[in-house]
Amino acid sequence: MRRVAIVGAAMTKFGEEWERGFRDLIAEAGLKAIEDANMSGNELDAIYGGTMAAGRLIGQEHITALIADYMGLNPIPATRVEAACASGGVALRSGYLAVASGHHDNVVVGGVEKMTDVPVGEAAIALGGAGDQEWELFMGATFPALYAMMARRHMHEFGTTEEQMAMVAVKNHANAAKNPYAHFQKEITLRDVMKSKKVASPLKLYDCSPITDGAAAIVLTPLEKARKYTDTPVEIVASSQASDTLALHHRKSLTTLNSSVVASRNAFNMARMKPSYIDVCEVHDCFTIAEIIAYEDLGFVKKGKGGKAIEDGETTLDGKIPVNTSGGLKGCGHPVGATGVKQAVEITWQLRGEAKKRQVRGAEIGMTHNVGGSGATCVVHIMKRVN
Amino acid sequence: MSSMTVGLPLTWRRIPERYNLIGSECEICHTKYFPVRRICPQCRRKGKMKEVKLSGKGKVYSYTRIYAPPSGFELDAPYMIAIIELEEGPRLTAQVEDCNARDVKIGTPVEMIFRKIQEDGKEGLIHYGFKFKTVSGTSHILQE
């Protein structure tokens, strides 16, 4: 296996991008990432694209053919990767494996979702496909409801409170307000979250990530060639993925995602690192409870102590382990297929020292944690600044 | 419109499970599953699956009350969804109704009832299946 580096990273503004369609978004992110890598399109060997529900959201399948076409990259191979909300992270891993194996040298990985071309209800149905359509969604469950049932168990088993969950939203909005690419540009208060309307008890509107348009892209190359393209390569020192039951009700526990536990443990082994080595981390906070569970599953705190960690400010920008400096899914927005790639873009910027107002000083090692559905897929990457 | 319009064959295939709570049991490790599985995830090729009818009695493992319903469930909202742990072991997701919402807690005993789940518009299929109610519950109107 060859060592792999990120040499280009870019994203579009995330938000309700009425003026731009699917192909505009991915072309912008892809071309900016290739430009960021100082690479010409002719040097690229392959495209991996992560998108979850283009068929349902814009009526278009075969989307990587579209991407190759509209980025002017024909005839190189273009492969779509789908793993619900982990589509972007799994696309990144596919690109990583292609370069690590020696089969391809220069690979562009894109993630994209165009969600606001359909009414909100239709987007919610499309997202429901990430769960068990026949045995969860059919019965009237929704994605907020599934995470609400995790939250209820977490409160029951560990005494986690609605206020602690709300603090995740407050922190991530504060970070998003420092990120010009984020969907939400405003800070919010604990009271705003607590007073927001109920969605699925105990979760309220501000506990939930929004419906967002956006795209992100990363350019990969073998580490040994990385200096040809950039002075600030970022090495992917671990890539790991794990699976769990499709339906939430089949899990042994609702207060942990075993896919997160396994993927992160394997990633730390691969990188020969421990959780305490991580300087900055992007986790999958599709709902506020998901971030609290992630602190525990990734090993930053002991099981059950996630609520206390947010309350004690351990994960703020100047905390012990800054989490979701981009604003996370909650503040930066969650165009599902783009999210996993966007996390890698944020970590790349952090490790290069380019994150401006939200820069974690001296960040050398970063991590991304991208979850599909209610935890049926988890993909984890660890990145390191190359000195 | 239902949450996801599905055709007649799929609905028919699911009738034994959705109407009568037919699940599977592995004759090798005796683990029971719901819904039906063809392969025992623990024994895999060594396993031997047979169909088994589940009692419909269990208790609430976790629950939530949905205020933002998916399309097709607007008239039901707010309604309660729970993960139920059946006394035979398997867990499933179902609505809890016909009882006082305040009585539904983690650990509350519940039993299966047969209800309409959703319909595909005014002229489409009506989908039936299981919901649950608290064992002690009578027919109070759902209230909080």
Side-chain angles (χ1 to χ4, degrees):
Chain A
M1 294 279 277
R2 298 192 294 182
R3 292 166 73 178
V4 179
I6 295 171
V7 292
M11 63 186 282
T12 65
K13 167 83 174 66
F14 277 15
E16 291 176 336
E17 300 293 302
W18 309 108
E19 310 272 314
R20 296 187 293 170
F22 185 96
R23 51 189 90 184
D24 306 316
L25 292 168
I26 189 60
E28 181 193 320
L31 293 177
K32 274 162 73 182
I34 296 164
E35 206 175 275
D36 184 52
N38 298 306
M39 204 177 266
S40 98
N42 299 333
E43 294 175 87
L44 285 167
D45 299 312
I47 301 167
Y48 289 87
T51 193
M52 177 191 163
R56 195 106 199 186
L57 294 169
I58 60 164
Q60 180 71 58
E61 307 292 4
H62 210 176
I63 65 104
T64 35
L66 180 147
I67 293 171
D69 184 2
Y70 276 77
M71 286 178 64
L73 292 175
N74 284 332
I76 63 171
T79 307
R80 174 177 174 172
V81 176
E82 191 275 306
C85 328
S87 298
V90 180
L92 177 61
R93 179 171 156 77
S94 303
Y96 165 85
L97 292 172
V99 176
S101 73
H103 194 83
H104 291 309
D105 273 351
N106 298 332
V107 166
V108 58
V109 177
V112 53
E113 213 76 59
K114 176 69 197 175
M115 305 184 72
T116 63
D117 277 355
V118 293
V120 175
E122 187 64 27
I125 291 171
L127 294 173
D132 190 328
Q133 194 63 253
E134 289 182 31
W135 299 106
E136 293 181 316
L137 287 300
F138 171 85
M139 300 300 171
T142 58
F143 254 87
L146 298 179
Y147 277 88
M149 288 194 282
M150 293 186 209
R152 184 76 72 195
R153 279 304 302 195
H154 212 276
M155 294 164 81
H156 176 77
E157 292 176 28
F158 307 115
T160 303
T161 64
E162 292 185 45
E163 286 79 5
Q164 287 170 335
M165 291 188 258
M167 287 171 196
V168 173
V170 172
K171 169 184 73 72
N172 290 351
H173 271 258
N175 291 350
K178 295 186 170 66
N179 180 359
Y181 293 95
H183 186 153
F184 295 124
Q185 298 288 327
K186 273 190 190 161
E187 297 198 10
I188 54 171
T189 65
L190 194 67
R191 190 186 149 83
D192 293 333
V193 186
M194 296 302 289
K195 292 280 172 198
S196 63
K197 69 178 183 188
K198 294 177 190 175
V199 172
S201 63
L203 299 185
K204 295 163 283 292
L205 185 65
Y206 283 13
D207 286 301
C208 310
S209 56
I211 287 179
T212 307
D213 303 322
I218 286 281
V219 179
L220 302 173
T221 204
L223 180 64
E224 64 200 29
K225 296 181 185 171
R227 293 276 181 199
K228 184 180 156 196
Y229 299 106
T230 179
D231 296 333
T232 53
V234 168
E235 185 184 357
I236 298 179
V237 292
S239 171
S240 176
Q241 185 183 337
S243 307
D244 203 346
T245 62
L246 181 64
L248 179 68
H249 54 238
H250 287 139
R251 312 270 169 79
K252 280 195 187 76
S253 165
L254 296 196
T255 55
T256 181
L257 303 187
N258 194 49
S259 58
S260 292
V261 172
V262 172
S264 59
R265 190 177 59 211
N266 291 345
F268 284 124
N269 285 340
M270 184 176 174
R272 296 198 181 88
M273 288 182 185
K274 294 187 292 196
S276 60
Y277 288 27
I278 303 297
D279 297 318
V280 56
C281 186
E282 289 280 302
V283 308
H284 198 92
D285 59 321
C286 48
F287 298 93
T288 50
I289 184 63
E291 179 163 323
I292 288 174
I293 292 176
Y295 297 160
E296 301 165 357
D297 287 346
L298 301 183
F300 296 137
V301 298
K302 288 208 176 84
K303 182 49 61 188
K305 301 291 183 196
K308 190 170 182 309
I310 182 75
E311 193 171 340
D312 292 349
E314 288 187 26
T315 55
T316 56
L317 272 184
D318 52 3
K320 208 165 86 187
I321 159 80
V323 172
N324 284 334
T325 56
S326 70
L329 285 57
K330 177 71 200 82
C332 190
H334 184 26
V336 280
T339 283
V341 181
K342 179 224 80 180
Q343 294 177 325
V345 169
E346 174 70 8
I347 294 297
T348 301
W349 286 343
Q350 285 285 355
L351 300 184
R352 286 176 178 176
E354 295 172 0
K356 302 206 170 81
K357 280 193 267 178
R358 57 190 196 285
Q359 180 65 45
V360 174
R361 219 175 298 161
E364 288 190 14
I365 298 170
M367 183 174 189
T368 61
H369 163 260
N370 187 199
V371 171
S374 61
T377 299
C378 179
V379 57
V380 168
H381 287 94
I382 301 175
M383 289 88 158
K384 188 171 182 292
R385 188 170 79 200
V386 181
N387 289 313
Chain B
M1 275 292 289
S2 71
S3 60
M4 164 90 195
T5 307
V6 293
L8 196 57
L10 188 152
T11 301
W12 275 6
R13 282 201 301 279
R14 291 296 173 234
I15 281 177
E17 293 152 291
R18 284 183 181 160
Y19 287 21
N20 293 321
L21 226 55
I22 301 298
S24 301
E25 179 176 358
C26 175
E27 291 181 45
I28 306 302
C29 70
H30 299 291
T31 308
K32 290 180 177 145
Y33 297 97
F34 184 85
V36 168
R37 283 179 186 257
R38 305 292 162 203
I39 294 168
C40 172
Q42 304 190 58
C43 306
R44 293 203 283 266
R45 263 189 295 171
K46 296 189 186 82
K48 196 164 171 234
M49 298 297 248
K50 65 171 186 191
E51 289 195 347
V52 58
K53 183 165 166 44
L54 299 163
S55 67
K57 292 191 191 317
K59 50 188 191 208
V60 173
Y61 187 74
S62 193
Y63 65 95
T64 177
R65 203 160 178 216
I66 295 183
Y67 294 85
S71 49
F73 291 87
E74 292 90 344
L75 295 177
D76 301 329
Y79 59 93
M80 198 158 252
I81 280 273
I83 290 179
I84 311 289
E85 183 168 288
L86 298 172
E87 60 182 17
E88 295 92 343
R91 292 191 198 137
L92 51 76
T93 298
Q95 287 186 37
V96 179
E97 65 172 36
D98 275 7
C99 54
N100 195 320
R102 272 176 302 196
D103 295 339
V104 179
K105 301 272 180 241
I106 289 174
T108 301
V110 289
E111 61 192 7
M112 180 192 150
I113 47 179
F114 182 75
R115 291 289 184 277
K116 183 174 91 175
I117 308 289
Q118 51 171 295
E119 54 187 76
D120 296 340
K122 280 184 182 155
E123 292 171 3
L125 279 179
I126 299 174
H127 301 277
Y128 295 93
F130 53 78
K131 292 186 182 179
F132 281 75
K133 71 175 182 75
T134 57
V135 171
S136 54
T138 50
S139 53
H140 291 301
I141 301 297
L142 193 67
Q143 55 184 267
E144 194 168 68

